[in-house]
Amino acid sequence: LGLDIKDSLKFISPVYRLRMDQAGRVLAQDPSLYANIAIQNPYTNRAIEAYLKVCQNLLQTILQKDYSAFIKYFNQASKHMGDFPQQALKETNFLIKKLGEFENKK
């Protein structure tokens, strides 16, 4: 998208900051490790194809401004994950708090 990462970090929410931190962490590591994981895993192709299909469906929902379809998909995904979203909410609240403390110490 041509965004300047440093500029975008000024405007992102704490949750998206954690996502950026995760991406940055991966990109700071050995690319051959991730190449081996992706290429040697016999399920990588299926996983990426499924991901792309979901992304295409979501894109169409957004382009059509279909709020009810988006909410239905969101609720189905949440239901599929069972109790995990509530656990993840607690864990990420903790991480966001710690990230804020870390940022304030800089």
Side-chain angles (χ1 to χ4, degrees):
L1 298 174
L3 298 174
D4 181 281
I5 296 300
K6 288 181 184 177
D7 286 342
S8 70
L9 292 176
K10 298 174 192 173
F11 305 104
I12 61 176
S13 71
V15 171
Y16 284 102
R17 174 57 193 245
L18 288 174
R19 294 177 96 183
M20 291 294 292
D21 285 344
Q22 287 177 314
R25 180 179 175 83
V26 169
L27 294 172
Q29 295 181 52
D30 181 5
S32 64
L33 168 67
Y34 288 93
N36 279 315
I37 290 170
I39 293 169
Q40 298 301 323
N41 185 336
Y43 300 103
T44 297
N45 292 357
R46 270 183 50 200
I48 292 174
E49 287 168 357
Y51 175 75
L52 291 173
K53 183 178 179 184
V54 168
C55 287
Q56 281 295 91
N57 290 339
L58 187 56
L59 174 61
Q60 290 307 309
T61 298
I62 291 169
L63 289 173
Q64 295 168 6
K65 299 186 184 310
D66 190 340
Y67 286 84
S68 62
F70 186 98
I71 291 168
K72 180 180 176 183
Y73 174 77
F74 192 96
N75 287 333
Q76 286 173 337
S78 180
K79 183 178 178 181
H80 174 76
M81 295 187 83
D83 295 334
F84 182 74
Q86 290 305 311
Q87 176 187 340
L89 184 61
K90 290 176 187 175
E91 291 173 2
T92 55
N93 282 342
F94 173 81
L95 293 172
I96 289 167
K97 181 180 176 187
K98 291 298 180 184
L99 181 61
E101 292 169 7
F102 177 77
E103 290 292 321
N104 289 333
K105 290 180 183 179
K106 284 185 176 177

